[in-house]
Amino acid sequence: MKIDELDAKIVELFTADSDIGVLAASRKLGVARPTVQARLDKLKKTGVIQQIAPILNPSKFGFPVMAFVSVEISQNVGHVSVGTALEVIPEIVEMYTVSGDQDVLIRIVAESNDDLQRVLDSISRTGAVTRTRSAIVLQTHFQNRVLPLFNEVGRNRA
């Protein structure tokens, strides 16, 4: 899909404030409301915008520990069933199948280091996992940093 500077500005506005609304965005950008709505609809329909929703911060509601865990799975189980088994653990907030020495990479949150151990034990008990390796996050510098890339695409194609 072709992205231009107006698309980038619209996405930037809604990223900064998901409650802004189409009318307020159109006023701020100096373009007609139907133009903003049409652009948003197109960005959603093509999957560029997956959703406009609040970004939750688990550390602010009791889960300050975050870890990335690489998972080796039982080869007779398969990725789909591992996903199904891990999906029921609410502390697992992301899951990716990956290439390399490990099969799956997950991001988990926990209330404490002891709670992290409980979550890791839950993962091991699924029966689909043969080994895990964890890296506890000490500090987050940035995450979900897609907006600068999107803005660059919008500037370069305008």
Side-chain angles (χ1 to χ4, degrees):
M1 182 188 142
K2 183 171 174 19
I3 304 297
D4 65 17
E5 194 169 355
L6 180 57
D7 292 325
K9 287 179 180 178
I10 291 169
V11 170
E12 190 166 7
L13 275 176
F14 278 89
T15 299
D17 180 7
S18 61
D19 292 329
I20 190 170
V22 175
L23 182 59
S26 68
R27 287 179 179 156
K28 200 163 200 165
L29 294 168
V31 297
R33 183 196 174 289
T35 300
V36 173
Q37 186 65 62
R39 295 292 186 106
L40 278 173
D41 291 345
K42 179 182 70 166
L43 291 165
K44 288 177 184 177
K45 183 179 179 188
T46 58
V48 172
I49 294 177
Q50 292 179 332
Q51 64 182 345
I52 297 176
I55 299 171
L56 301 175
N57 183 345
S59 69
K60 300 297 183 187
F61 55 91
F63 295 85
V65 176
M66 179 174 25
F68 287 93
V69 180
S70 56
V71 179
E72 188 176 301
I73 65 172
S74 301
Q75 295 305 300
N76 61 339
V77 174
H79 293 94
V80 173
S81 56
V82 170
T84 302
L86 296 180
E87 190 173 40
V88 300
I89 302 171
E91 294 86 355
I92 299 175
V93 295
E94 295 178 0
M95 177 185 164
Y96 307 92
T97 55
V98 296
S99 62
D101 293 339
Q102 299 303 305
D103 302 306
V104 173
L105 180 65
I106 58 176
R107 182 170 67 96
I108 63 177
V109 295
E111 296 173 352
S112 63
N113 285 347
D114 287 340
D115 190 46
L116 176 62
Q117 183 62 61
R118 178 193 61 79
V119 176
L120 291 171
D121 290 345
S122 296
I123 292 167
S124 296
R125 279 194 300 274
T126 63
V129 173
T130 59
R131 182 177 177 91
T132 63
R133 290 183 183 86
S134 305
I136 297 174
V137 174
L138 301 176
Q139 185 176 31
T140 300
H141 295 274
F142 56 83
Q143 63 184 26
N144 197 25
R145 191 175 168 265
V146 182
L147 187 58
L149 176 62
F150 186 79
N151 287 340
E152 185 67 24
V153 170
R155 278 193 298 274
N156 288 335
R157 294 188 183 169

